[in-house]
Amino acid sequence: MPAWAKPFLFAGLCILLNDIALAADKADWATQIQPFLQTYCYDCHADDAKEGGLDLQSLSQDLNDAAAFSVWERIFDRVANREMPPANVGSVPETERGEFMQPLDDVLSQAHAASKGTLLRRLNRREYENTMNDLFGTHLDLADLLPEDSRSQEFDNVGAALGLSMVHLERYMDAATLVMDTAIAKTTQAPVPVRITANYRDSREGEKFIGQRWKLLSDGAVVRFSGGGYPSGMLRGSAVSQPGRYRVRVTGYAYQSAEPVTFSVGGTSFLRGSEKPIYGFWSLPPGEPGTAHAIEFETWIESKFMLAIEPYGIQDPQRYQRKSIEDYEGPGLAIVEVTLEGPLSDSWPSRGHQLLFTGLDRREKPPANPQIKTKSWYTPEFEIICSEEAREISDVLVRVATKAFRRPAEAAQIEKFVALYQREREDEQSIEESLRTAVVAVLCSPRFLYFQEPPGRLDGYALADRLAYFLTRTMPDDELLALAESGELSDPATLRAETERLLSDAKFERFLADFCDNWLDLRDIDFTLPDSQMFPEYDDFLRYSMPQETRRFLRELIENNEPIVNLVDSQFAMLNSRLAEHYDLPTVEGAHLRRVSLPAGSWRGGLLSQASILKVTANGTNTSPVTRGAWVMERILGETPPPGVPGVEPDIRGAATLRELLAQHRNSVDCNACHQKIDPPGFALESFNPIGGFRTYYRSLGEGERVSKTVNGRKVAYRVGPSVDSSGLLPDLGSFTDFREFRQLLAGSPDKLATSFIEKILTFATGRSLGFSDREEIEQLVKQAEGSGFGMRDLIHLCVQSEIFQNK
């Protein structure tokens, strides 16, 4: 039997033995709980009575059936939480409740514990893209080449939901080929970065619009007094010929303005169907001709893309009517020039080239006519010369496989790749082509695509893998792998130190993006587009700032080890000028996000008042308390709502309030119990519209009082609809009159917030959904965290040190 098969055989035997044990115990536990069911449950959930669709007599007792397990787990929880039996049945003696819960607790724990270590987990699309790019030193959008990953609850990295199909394998081969094509050097010398200088005054648009819509100043700067529209901020002459990382410098100033002027820098292209990425927003301070300021940044720019600069927050309502701009006195953005330098490279040849060819004699083939080497169109051809081909190629494949597998590759593991190489050579393929074919096979093998985690305690390499993909979303670096090899990583102090190191790594930004995209649904930020008549204030700057705020907020909490209550009720927010304006807070200058203390009594503070959260829980036109309430229950409080709860679509003409519609919905006996939990958080969030603005009334496009307000120089079309009522009653926590009181109620239960956050972190970190047998340890982690005030950084360390994290 091959060594790799032994862990899976062991796992299979464990499942078989557990099935036998469960079958033997089934009659026992089912018999023990029968008296309780007959006394308290069968009147409503047996024979012809099937309230809530639950028939206990026909419910399967096979706990290997996921559906049956889920129902028995819910029964256990409702009895444990004293939601069932209902109050009208009378009081239930604690001894009887315990006699019911104990055998059910034991058998549910046993069933879940046996299944949680048997699932395989592959790299999801984002992990695959990061790994390939980091391994080969490329910057390719590989995720979009692959089929979309399925989700388990909100997470797209849970092994149970990540299948593998022939389509996947075909795309993996395509991706590996593309990565090698990009990484392998095609010249004999390192490319020299070029410097591009461009300005508006010498552009085709400058010749046409200077004097009419653009103003030329004495220092050569060209001023634009409005963003968007025609002519746009596309800057001809700034196009790059090669994709790569570029250093961009924009020189200019705010003209005729006492305040800085904000602007975006993005990319645009004449290529059909090309996207228009925004590289960022910046602000330039006031200045006069000859006193220019500059901003500088680095970004990836695709081939044939030009820069586009658009001012934000300034308007020239008459720009299409006037014939001359010379006497216009409004504020503008003056741009002197733009420079680009690149492509910038950390190393040449790339990491991937070195991984493939170090130790091999890869040389340029002399052309038949040496004179053509002087031609601009000349592209060299290469060949590999080997003196001991079998040994040299074997050495390369061992090196590649060791890096790809994230642990030392054994000779037996690469025999099939060597055999594939040899077959390619027999088919008269070149050494390089044959090697590339073998490497594609390595990159499509299970040892690369899947985490190597046999059931039980993780070895050093598996632990390094799990920690790296958790906090940096990519393969372990050399330092982690060295600690894995020595066995030191399993030492708690070393593991803590490595956790600290990765929390401070630049790649931790990937964790913030991926975790927020999953946990908080930020990946759906563009799923809907707000109605332009209802929400004319929604713009690119606000859209850009929304997810940035949430990610920076989570980073701030973790970096400073802020208490968990800040998730729902913080005394600060991460703001820039646009968010402060949107939230009706005191002015904040500049496009960069920074920590800002909030005034007393502010409606802002915490995740639930952030525009990104409020947008992804709405549909672009209106809000549903059911949708938002279920979201808060699941993502913040860790309570999974029952499936299939339909949202109530409000009448945007203002014909009926949401409360009236939901009151009718709750008249159903089957719906009432769940909606008592779901609706109150949703009512609290009714204080905020679909783009996160605070409101005291709903907007309407039908009847209602007109609103005297202008946005971007235009009167708004919406009218005053019904008033907002954000009061409610949270079971077990109390009543609230508005969102601020609701937020305080949540903050009063830090243990509940910590429990939910730990579950989310561990699900994301381990790639499996937590379940019944994990509950005891999670409770212990929460108790440990209480001693340190539930600090967010402490919670991450507790998760990494846990048995759940270090075991499969």
Side-chain angles (χ1 to χ4, degrees):
M1 177 186 298
W4 61 265
K6 292 180 180 179
F8 300 102
L9 175 62
F10 175 75
L13 288 173
C14 288
I15 296 172
L16 178 61
L17 291 173
N18 178 71
D19 289 347
I20 296 172
L22 284 179
D25 289 344
K26 183 169 73 173
D28 185 40
W29 71 266
T31 300
Q32 292 179 59
I33 67 173
Q34 277 303 310
F36 186 92
L37 296 177
Q38 290 173 349
T39 303
Y40 299 107
C41 305
Y42 279 178
D43 285 349
C44 297
H45 301 290
D47 297 325
D48 294 331
K50 301 178 183 178
E51 290 189 14
L54 175 61
D55 182 355
L56 290 170
Q57 288 182 318
S58 64
L59 177 60
S60 172
Q61 296 171 358
D62 179 6
L63 298 181
N64 289 320
D65 179 347
F69 184 99
S70 178
V71 175
W72 282 112
E73 184 178 33
R74 182 173 289 277
I75 290 170
F76 178 92
D77 288 340
R78 299 206 69 179
V79 173
N81 294 332
R82 289 159 176 74
E83 298 172 4
M84 289 290 172
N88 59 13
V89 172
S91 61
V92 178
E94 288 302 308
T95 55
E96 293 186 35
R97 192 183 298 271
E99 289 170 356
F100 169 80
M101 292 174 55
Q102 188 58 58
L104 190 52
D105 188 341
D106 292 343
V107 74
L108 288 173
S109 296
Q110 181 184 355
H112 179 259
S115 65
K116 67 184 181 183
T118 61
L119 294 173
L120 295 176
R121 173 190 169 199
R122 69 164 170 82
L123 301 177
N124 73 1
R125 296 194 305 169
R126 189 61 58 198
E127 292 162 341
Y128 175 86
E129 177 180 288
N130 291 340
T131 303
M132 291 289 280
N133 281 328
D134 291 343
L135 184 60
F136 285 88
T138 53
H139 190 286
L140 296 168
D141 184 2
L142 301 176
D144 286 343
L145 295 179
L146 304 175
E148 186 172 355
D149 295 316
S150 299
R151 304 180 191 178
S152 177
Q153 296 177 330
E154 65 262 43
F155 293 101
D156 65 2
N157 69 334
V158 172
L162 295 174
L164 186 68
S165 66
M166 287 303 299
V167 174
H168 281 92
L169 290 175
E170 290 172 0
R171 300 292 176 79
Y172 286 139
M173 288 190 286
D174 292 342
T177 301
L178 175 62
V179 166
M180 283 192 286
D181 284 342
T182 305
I184 293 174
K186 299 173 180 61
T187 60
T188 57
Q189 294 182 335
V192 178
V194 300
R195 182 182 176 87
I196 300 171
T197 301
N199 59 67
Y200 287 107
R201 63 183 175 273
D202 297 326
S203 68
R204 186 186 307 173
E205 286 75 19
E207 294 176 2
K208 183 175 182 180
F209 296 106
I210 285 176
Q212 181 183 4
R213 296 178 190 168
W214 295 355
K215 185 174 183 177
L216 179 63
L217 303 181
S218 59
D219 60 354
V222 171
V223 185
R224 294 181 64 206
F225 297 96
S226 278
Y230 180 77
S232 71
M234 179 185 71
L235 183 56
R236 293 181 191 269
S238 64
V240 303
S241 59
Q242 296 294 324
R245 183 166 52 88
Y246 286 81
R247 183 178 298 112
V248 180
R249 182 180 176 88
V250 179
T251 306
Y253 46 91
Y255 178 69
Q256 294 181 168
S257 174
E259 307 292 336
V261 171
T262 298
F263 61 96
S264 65
V265 181
T268 187
S269 170
F270 292 124
L271 297 173
R272 185 184 300 273
S274 61
E275 297 182 352
K276 297 185 182 300
I278 293 179
Y279 305 132
F281 282 80
W282 290 269
S283 297
L284 284 171
E288 297 291 337
T291 61
H293 305 273
I295 62 99
E296 190 173 287
F297 63 94
E298 290 185 8
T299 190
W300 186 271
I301 303 178
E302 293 293 344
S303 174
K304 299 182 180 179
F305 268 70
M306 300 168 280
L307 296 184
I309 300 175
E310 295 291 347
Y312 169 80
I314 55 176
Q315 294 292 327
D316 176 10
Q318 303 300 317
R319 62 173 164 165
Y320 296 122
Q321 284 74 42
R322 66 166 51 90
K323 295 182 179 181
S324 174
I325 196 69
E326 294 303 320
D327 296 328
Y328 180 66
E329 298 180 352
L333 176 67
I335 300 298
V336 178
E337 70 175 14
V338 174
T339 60
L340 301 90
E341 184 180 359
L344 306 175
S345 178
D346 296 327
S347 64
W348 188 89
S350 69
R351 287 195 299 274
H353 182 102
Q354 296 177 53
L355 178 66
L356 293 172
F357 299 124
T358 295
L360 297 179
D361 182 8
R362 184 176 187 261
R363 62 180 69 167
E364 181 184 4
K365 285 184 179 181
N369 178 7
Q371 296 300 319
I372 67 172
K373 295 179 68 173
T374 62
K375 305 297 183 181
S376 60
W377 45 261
Y378 172 71
T379 301
E381 294 183 7
F382 293 88
E383 63 181 348
I384 296 174
I385 307 297
C386 291
S387 57
E388 299 179 63
E389 183 176 338
R391 180 191 60 78
E392 292 176 41
I393 295 302
S394 179
D395 289 347
V396 171
L397 290 175
V398 169
R399 179 174 66 235
V400 172
T402 294
K403 291 292 289 185
F405 298 165
R406 286 98 67 190
R407 60 176 61 224
E410 301 170 6
Q413 294 172 348
I414 68 159
E415 287 178 356
K416 55 188 174 184
F417 306 120
V418 173
L420 176 60
Y421 170 85
Q422 291 171 343
R423 287 197 298 272
E424 291 294 301
R425 290 289 284 146
E426 290 169 2
D427 288 341
E428 300 183 351
Q429 296 295 316
S430 69
I431 292 177
E432 182 167 331
E433 285 299 320
S434 301
L435 176 60
R436 287 180 53 155
T437 298
V439 171
V440 168
V442 170
L443 298 173
C444 292
S445 71
R447 292 186 180 277
F448 173 68
L449 297 174
Y450 281 83
F451 290 84
Q452 304 303 303
E453 298 176 341
R457 192 80 175 180
L458 300 182
D459 65 19
Y461 291 106
L463 186 58
D465 231 20
R466 182 168 285 189
L467 184 64
Y469 280 98
F470 169 37
L471 293 177
T472 62
R473 311 297 296 132
T474 189
M475 60 186 181
D477 59 16
D478 291 341
E479 187 170 340
L480 259 183
L481 289 173
L483 291 172
E485 181 180 14
S486 69
E488 296 176 69
L489 188 59
S490 299
D491 173 68
T494 303
L495 184 59
R496 181 181 178 86
E498 284 303 290
T499 304
E500 275 293 317
R501 181 174 70 86
L502 297 189
L503 285 169
S504 302
D505 192 280
K507 292 186 179 73
F508 182 62
E509 193 66 34
R510 293 175 176 174
F511 163 84
L512 295 170
D514 287 357
F515 185 61
C516 288
D517 279 358
N518 281 265
W519 173 40
L520 303 175
D521 281 332
L522 295 198
R523 60 187 156 204
D524 295 332
I525 194 74
D526 292 321
F527 187 72
T528 61
L529 182 65
D531 185 279
S532 60
Q533 288 188 293
M534 295 280 277
F535 305 103
E537 65 268 48
Y538 184 77
D539 55 40
D540 288 343
F541 191 12
L542 180 58
R543 157 62 186 87
Y544 178 85
S545 302
M546 284 178 171
Q548 299 291 333
E549 174 193 15
T550 301
R551 293 168 188 160
R552 284 293 303 274
F553 180 72
L554 183 59
R555 175 184 280 279
E556 188 77 6
L557 297 185
I558 294 171
E559 283 188 346
N560 296 304
N561 201 25
E562 299 283 0
I564 191 82
V565 295
N566 284 274
L567 280 180
V568 295
D569 190 9
S570 65
Q571 303 305 306
F572 69 93
M574 306 302 294
L575 302 176
N576 60 12
S577 58
R578 183 66 185 95
L579 289 168
E581 175 191 21
H582 186 56
Y583 295 158
D584 197 24
L585 291 170
T587 299
V588 172
E589 289 190 357
H592 66 284
L593 289 153
R594 81 298 306 263
R595 181 169 175 154
V596 177
S597 296
L598 295 169
S602 175
W603 293 93
R604 305 296 167 173
L607 289 173
L608 298 180
S609 61
Q610 293 178 8
S612 64
I613 303 301
L614 297 161
K615 183 179 186 302
V616 299
T617 55
N619 68 7
T621 302
N622 51 53
T623 59
S624 165
V626 177
T627 301
R628 280 181 166 176
W631 191 95
V632 173
M633 279 186 63
E634 185 174 27
R635 308 308 169 90
I636 305 301
L637 301 179
E639 299 179 20
T640 303
V645 176
V648 175
E649 293 296 335
D651 184 344
I652 64 172
R653 295 170 298 174
T657 68
L658 287 171
R659 283 182 179 267
E660 291 170 349
L661 294 172
L662 286 171
Q664 296 174 1
H665 193 65
R666 287 197 302 272
N667 285 337
S668 168
V669 175
D670 291 340
C671 299
N672 185 49
C674 293
H675 280 272
Q676 283 182 337
K677 291 184 175 182
I678 294 173
D679 293 351
F683 288 146
L685 266 60
E686 286 298 279
S687 292
F688 305 100
N689 65 31
I691 62 170
F694 177 75
R695 65 184 177 188
T696 57
Y697 61 85
Y698 297 99
R699 297 180 181 183
S700 169
L701 294 179
E703 297 180 357
E705 180 184 346
R706 290 186 178 276
V707 177
S708 179
K709 185 177 182 179
T710 59
V711 175
N712 297 329
R714 297 180 179 179
K715 292 183 178 181
V716 299
Y718 62 82
R719 300 184 177 217
V720 177
S723 298
V724 169
D725 179 0
S726 59
S727 63
L729 173 65
L730 280 173
D732 303 326
L733 291 180
S735 61
F736 55 90
T737 60
D738 60 24
F739 171 76
R740 291 173 296 192
E741 291 186 4
F742 164 76
R743 188 174 56 185
Q744 291 171 359
L745 290 176
L746 295 187
S749 299
D751 54 339
K752 192 173 186 66
L753 298 173
T755 299
S756 177
F757 185 73
I758 286 172
E759 289 175 350
K760 303 302 182 185
I761 282 288
L762 283 172
T763 298
F764 186 75
T766 63
R768 73 168 177 86
S769 297
L770 302 191
F772 202 88
S773 65
D774 299 309
R775 292 180 176 186
E776 183 177 352
E777 185 176 5
I778 291 172
E779 290 176 6
Q780 294 172 355
L781 294 175
V782 172
K783 289 179 181 178
Q784 287 180 261
E786 185 176 10
S788 63
F790 297 106
M792 295 284 285
R793 201 177 189 91
D794 291 340
L795 289 175
I796 290 178
H797 279 296
L798 283 171
C799 288
V800 172
Q801 298 285 338
S802 70
E803 292 296 308
I804 293 173
F805 184 88
Q806 297 187 42
N807 283 269
K808 180 178 179 181

